[in-house]
Amino acid sequence: VQLQASGGGSVQTGGSLRLSCAASGRINRVDDMAWYRQGPGSQREMVASITSGFNTNYTDSVKGRFTISRDNSKNTVYLQMDSLKPEDTAVYFCNAGVSLPSGYFRNYWGQGTQVTVSS
């Protein structure tokens, strides 16, 4: 199973970016999906999560600015980021809980994509 993230880049304050992350491989079902980020000198933090039933959760600092969504037919999660601020600058990682055909459940991480917001 692989998670392939894309969509990072550099924008100015107030700009927007959309991240995508697709899970591929031998998958029975993708359960919870989430985006995390790790800024310079900071610990990795959860930004937003979404269940297979589309229930969402956000960290306080991004509420009202970021929107997480998913397409279960494509095993893909998205993060629409609007009104970006310099403090959103970080490497963003996608995460997914995957039920495998073997019956095992495992957690996977994507490779990370850089988001840079300049003032």
Side-chain angles (χ1 to χ4, degrees):
V1 175
Q2 289 187 329
L3 297 184
Q4 183 66 46
S6 61
S10 297
V11 297
Q12 292 187 328
T13 297
S16 297
L17 286 171
R18 187 186 192 218
L19 306 182
S20 300
C21 177
S24 62
R26 298 190 64 196
I27 296 171
N28 186 34
R29 185 183 70 252
V30 179
D31 294 316
D32 292 0
M33 305 185 83
W35 287 97
Y36 287 72
R37 67 185 179 187
Q38 187 165 14
S42 301
Q43 291 187 331
R44 191 174 296 189
E45 65 168 347
M46 194 277 290
V47 176
S49 64
I50 185 167
T51 68
S52 57
F54 305 102
N55 292 313
T56 60
N57 187 42
Y58 298 90
T59 192
D60 286 346
S61 63
V62 308
K63 286 180 180 177
R65 300 188 298 120
F66 290 11
T67 303
I68 190 170
S69 61
R70 64 188 289 168
D71 184 336
N72 287 340
S73 68
K74 298 179 180 179
N75 290 331
T76 299
V77 63
Y78 306 96
L79 186 68
Q80 178 66 42
M81 304 185 293
D82 299 317
S83 301
L84 282 161
K85 303 176 181 180
E87 50 263 44
D88 295 317
T89 295
V91 178
Y92 284 71
F93 299 88
C94 57
N95 177 275
V98 178
S99 295
L100 303 173
S102 61
Y104 287 101
F105 178 90
R106 290 187 178 167
N107 194 262
Y108 293 90
W109 290 93
Q111 83 280 17
T113 184
Q114 178 69 46
V115 171
T116 303
V117 185
S118 58
S119 57

